[in-house]
Amino acid sequence: MPTETTFGLISLLPALLAIVLTLVSRQALLSLFAGVWLGATILAGWNPIAGGAKALTFVVQNVTETFNAKLLLFTFLIGALLGMVFLSGGMRAVADGIVKRIKTRRQAKAGTAFLGTLIFFDSYASTMISGSVMRPVTDRFEISREKLAYLLDSTTSPMASLAVVSTWLGFEVGLIQQQFTELGIQRSAFVVFVESIPFRFYSVFALILVYIVVFTDWNFGPMKKAEARAQNEGKLLRDDASPLMETQASDIETPAHVNPRWWYFAAPIVVLVATTLVGLWWTGGGPAKTSAALANTEGVDAILAFFQSYADSLKEAGTADAILYAAFAGCTTMLAILVGHARIGLDKVSDSIFEGFKMVMFPVAILSLAWTIGFVSSELGVGDYVVSVAEGIITAPLLPAVIFLTAALISFAIGTSWGTMGILFPVAVPLAVELNAAITLAIAAILTGSLFGDHCSPISDTTVMSSMFAASDHVDHVATQMPYAMLAATVGTISFLVSGYTTIPVWVTLFVGTVALAGSAYVLSEYVGKTDRVGVGAMFD
């Protein structure tokens, strides 16, 4: 919980320092810890020695927090799974099969975007599966790792946040219900959640922009240079880049006697997905809910009752437990395949597991510090400060746009959409009621604005995971994705203003916004950025 002390503008310094240092120095680990140390020093009364000790305490506190510890273990298990998959040759077999059907770069990019959209039930799982399957394919068609990371990041999290069956559902509906209960609002939280979907302009436009870029090849900003480098020079990464996960796996070679099969990769992934779905249902009290829902029902009504009970179980699901069980099940399946069918010795299997651990060591460190700097920022009261500044300029029609921008700023600073939602719901929803503003629109603004930071902040765990499974340089991913995120956010802000001040139907707003999105992407691609400047100063070049 944040402290009651108000630090005002100073509360922004740790996150800003980490972000600026990351973009300038391209040293994410040192930059993140510098931000943590600065924040801890502020909390320790500007004593840098005490601040250093407090910073280390904060790191330990966040790493050992139950949910975070489970996610870190999940990441290690995924590394072990990937190591074993490399050993089996299964990923190469799948890539070879897909390449035979994908004939163009456009099809490779479209396949990546579609897969990221299709696996909508969890952003982590979607990023992992889509990146692992499609990276060998996009590599063969000389698609830059920056573009792959963008395709992953801009489909997985937005889609998971919009889906009515996902790991995000329970958290979001729970926040809505909590405010409705406290304010005495007699409305269904789930119904309002569904009603808010078309008004989540940033999430929708971020997804639409992906497909516009995929099918038109309109690249702009640093991404344009990255794609030109990949196509013209065959360099998937820039010179001196530091990919977040080593994917060459030069120390993992498939034994000569093994004939790689496509199902060596598909089987553990199917088990992973199935166990995730079952785990979400089980940890959310699914057996009891389903039993009660199916009582005295039959036929079509029974089918509908089952899906409703599944959706209800997701509201209380233990996401960390479900994906942890799924990763373990995937590893167990892969181990059985290697030993039982591929006839590979346990010594080579063990070596591949440790090589897999090495693949994810850096992401684990990044995740740990990203959580810590988010915690420090919350302790400094950055959310309360940003909200207090925004409150002074709010009117009912302006409220949705202000909430959206406030959520975007907070989420970018602390790197977590869920944390931002937790900060804003107790402030923004009562404010909407007080101003007699549209509740559904205000809630949509919180949910989609919070996604902005989760989508493009360099200290966001999902941004880190997108870099990880695309094997992209993390700083390059952030820099190349930012112009696209800013474009979607700009059109989204205008759409909130239109919805706040007019009664134009939302479908009209979405259509016009899509046209504006496409037109802006074309102009930025064809007429902006004809120079060779690079870096932060050339973000929109």
Side-chain angles (χ1 to χ4, degrees), residues 279-290:
L280 292 171
W281 172 76
W282 186 273
T283 58
K289 289 182 173 64
T290 300

PDB file of all heavy atoms in Angstrom, residues 279-290:
ATOM      1  N   GLY A 279      -6.923 -25.378 -15.334  1.00  0.00           N
ATOM      2  CA  GLY A 279      -6.432 -24.804 -14.083  1.00  0.00           C
ATOM      3  C   GLY A 279      -7.191 -23.544 -13.684  1.00  0.00           C
ATOM      4  O   GLY A 279      -7.488 -23.335 -12.504  1.00  0.00           O
ATOM      5  N   LEU A 280      -7.492 -22.698 -14.654  1.00  0.00           N
ATOM      6  CA  LEU A 280      -8.275 -21.491 -14.363  1.00  0.00           C
ATOM      7  C   LEU A 280      -9.652 -21.868 -13.838  1.00  0.00           C
ATOM      8  O   LEU A 280     -10.171 -21.251 -12.895  1.00  0.00           O
ATOM      9  CB  LEU A 280      -8.396 -20.637 -15.627  1.00  0.00           C
ATOM     10  CG  LEU A 280      -7.099 -19.995 -16.137  1.00  0.00           C
ATOM     11  CD1 LEU A 280      -7.319 -19.363 -17.511  1.00  0.00           C
ATOM     12  CD2 LEU A 280      -6.596 -18.951 -15.157  1.00  0.00           C
ATOM     13  N   TRP A 281     -10.255 -22.875 -14.457  1.00  0.00           N
ATOM     14  CA  TRP A 281     -11.577 -23.343 -14.037  1.00  0.00           C
ATOM     15  C   TRP A 281     -11.511 -23.943 -12.637  1.00  0.00           C
ATOM     16  O   TRP A 281     -12.333 -23.641 -11.785  1.00  0.00           O
ATOM     17  CB  TRP A 281     -12.065 -24.369 -15.056  1.00  0.00           C
ATOM     18  CG  TRP A 281     -13.331 -25.093 -14.689  1.00  0.00           C
ATOM     19  CD1 TRP A 281     -14.601 -24.602 -14.742  1.00  0.00           C
ATOM     20  CD2 TRP A 281     -13.440 -26.453 -14.247  1.00  0.00           C
ATOM     21  NE1 TRP A 281     -15.504 -25.569 -14.350  1.00  0.00           N
ATOM     22  CE2 TRP A 281     -14.810 -26.712 -14.042  1.00  0.00           C
ATOM     23  CE3 TRP A 281     -12.525 -27.470 -14.013  1.00  0.00           C
ATOM     24  CZ2 TRP A 281     -15.280 -27.960 -13.603  1.00  0.00           C
ATOM     25  CZ3 TRP A 281     -12.982 -28.702 -13.583  1.00  0.00           C
ATOM     26  CH2 TRP A 281     -14.353 -28.943 -13.380  1.00  0.00           C
ATOM     27  N   TRP A 282     -10.487 -24.758 -12.393  1.00  0.00           N
ATOM     28  CA  TRP A 282     -10.368 -25.459 -11.111  1.00  0.00           C
ATOM     29  C   TRP A 282     -10.079 -24.489  -9.969  1.00  0.00           C
ATOM     30  O   TRP A 282     -10.718 -24.557  -8.915  1.00  0.00           O
ATOM     31  CB  TRP A 282      -9.269 -26.508 -11.217  1.00  0.00           C
ATOM     32  CG  TRP A 282      -9.166 -27.381  -9.999  1.00  0.00           C
ATOM     33  CD1 TRP A 282      -8.451 -27.141  -8.862  1.00  0.00           C
ATOM     34  CD2 TRP A 282      -9.826 -28.628  -9.794  1.00  0.00           C
ATOM     35  NE1 TRP A 282      -8.597 -28.160  -7.966  1.00  0.00           N
ATOM     36  CE2 TRP A 282      -9.453 -29.095  -8.504  1.00  0.00           C
ATOM     37  CE3 TRP A 282     -10.682 -29.408 -10.571  1.00  0.00           C
ATOM     38  CZ2 TRP A 282      -9.920 -30.295  -7.997  1.00  0.00           C
ATOM     39  CZ3 TRP A 282     -11.141 -30.609 -10.050  1.00  0.00           C
ATOM     40  CH2 TRP A 282     -10.762 -31.039  -8.782  1.00  0.00           C
ATOM     41  N   THR A 283      -9.104 -23.599 -10.162  1.00  0.00           N
ATOM     42  CA  THR A 283      -8.725 -22.686  -9.082  1.00  0.00           C
ATOM     43  C   THR A 283      -9.792 -21.633  -8.812  1.00  0.00           C
ATOM     44  O   THR A 283      -9.782 -20.999  -7.762  1.00  0.00           O
ATOM     45  CB  THR A 283      -7.394 -21.979  -9.405  1.00  0.00           C
ATOM     46  OG1 THR A 283      -7.517 -21.251 -10.641  1.00  0.00           O
ATOM     47  CG2 THR A 283      -6.260 -22.982  -9.527  1.00  0.00           C
ATOM     48  N   GLY A 284     -10.686 -21.446  -9.758  1.00  0.00           N
ATOM     49  CA  GLY A 284     -11.778 -20.489  -9.566  1.00  0.00           C
ATOM     50  C   GLY A 284     -13.028 -21.122  -8.995  1.00  0.00           C
ATOM     51  O   GLY A 284     -14.112 -20.515  -9.035  1.00  0.00           O
ATOM     52  N   GLY A 285     -12.904 -22.349  -8.458  1.00  0.00           N
ATOM     53  CA  GLY A 285     -14.070 -23.033  -7.896  1.00  0.00           C
ATOM     54  C   GLY A 285     -14.975 -23.602  -8.958  1.00  0.00           C
ATOM     55  O   GLY A 285     -16.189 -23.757  -8.734  1.00  0.00           O
ATOM     56  N   GLY A 286     -14.399 -23.941 -10.113  1.00  0.00           N
ATOM     57  CA  GLY A 286     -15.178 -24.425 -11.243  1.00  0.00           C
ATOM     58  C   GLY A 286     -16.011 -25.660 -10.980  1.00  0.00           C
ATOM     59  O   GLY A 286     -17.192 -25.697 -11.371  1.00  0.00           O
ATOM     60  N   PRO A 287     -15.471 -26.698 -10.325  1.00  0.00           N
ATOM     61  CA  PRO A 287     -16.271 -27.912 -10.109  1.00  0.00           C
ATOM     62  C   PRO A 287     -17.594 -27.636  -9.407  1.00  0.00           C
ATOM     63  O   PRO A 287     -18.643 -28.119  -9.836  1.00  0.00           O
ATOM     64  CB  PRO A 287     -15.342 -28.786  -9.246  1.00  0.00           C
ATOM     65  CG  PRO A 287     -13.970 -28.370  -9.659  1.00  0.00           C
ATOM     66  CD  PRO A 287     -14.068 -26.883  -9.888  1.00  0.00           C
ATOM     67  N   ALA A 288     -17.547 -26.874  -8.330  1.00  0.00           N
ATOM     68  CA  ALA A 288     -18.772 -26.581  -7.587  1.00  0.00           C
ATOM     69  C   ALA A 288     -19.712 -25.700  -8.404  1.00  0.00           C
ATOM     70  O   ALA A 288     -20.929 -25.938  -8.441  1.00  0.00           O
ATOM     71  CB  ALA A 288     -18.424 -25.899  -6.262  1.00  0.00           C
ATOM     72  N   LYS A 289     -19.153 -24.702  -9.063  1.00  0.00           N
ATOM     73  CA  LYS A 289     -19.981 -23.790  -9.871  1.00  0.00           C
ATOM     74  C   LYS A 289     -20.639 -24.526 -11.030  1.00  0.00           C
ATOM     75  O   LYS A 289     -21.813 -24.316 -11.336  1.00  0.00           O
ATOM     76  CB  LYS A 289     -19.136 -22.625 -10.390  1.00  0.00           C
ATOM     77  CG  LYS A 289     -18.708 -21.613  -9.335  1.00  0.00           C
ATOM     78  CD  LYS A 289     -17.921 -20.480  -9.968  1.00  0.00           C
ATOM     79  CE  LYS A 289     -17.635 -19.357  -8.969  1.00  0.00           C
ATOM     80  NZ  LYS A 289     -16.771 -19.802  -7.871  1.00  0.00           N
ATOM     81  N   THR A 290     -19.877 -25.372 -11.698  1.00  0.00           N
ATOM     82  CA  THR A 290     -20.417 -26.111 -12.841  1.00  0.00           C
ATOM     83  C   THR A 290     -21.492 -27.096 -12.394  1.00  0.00           C
ATOM     84  O   THR A 290     -22.539 -27.240 -13.039  1.00  0.00           O
ATOM     85  CB  THR A 290     -19.290 -26.863 -13.568  1.00  0.00           C
ATOM     86  OG1 THR A 290     -18.317 -25.935 -14.025  1.00  0.00           O
ATOM     87  CG2 THR A 290     -19.840 -27.634 -14.760  1.00  0.00           C
TER      88      THR A 290
END
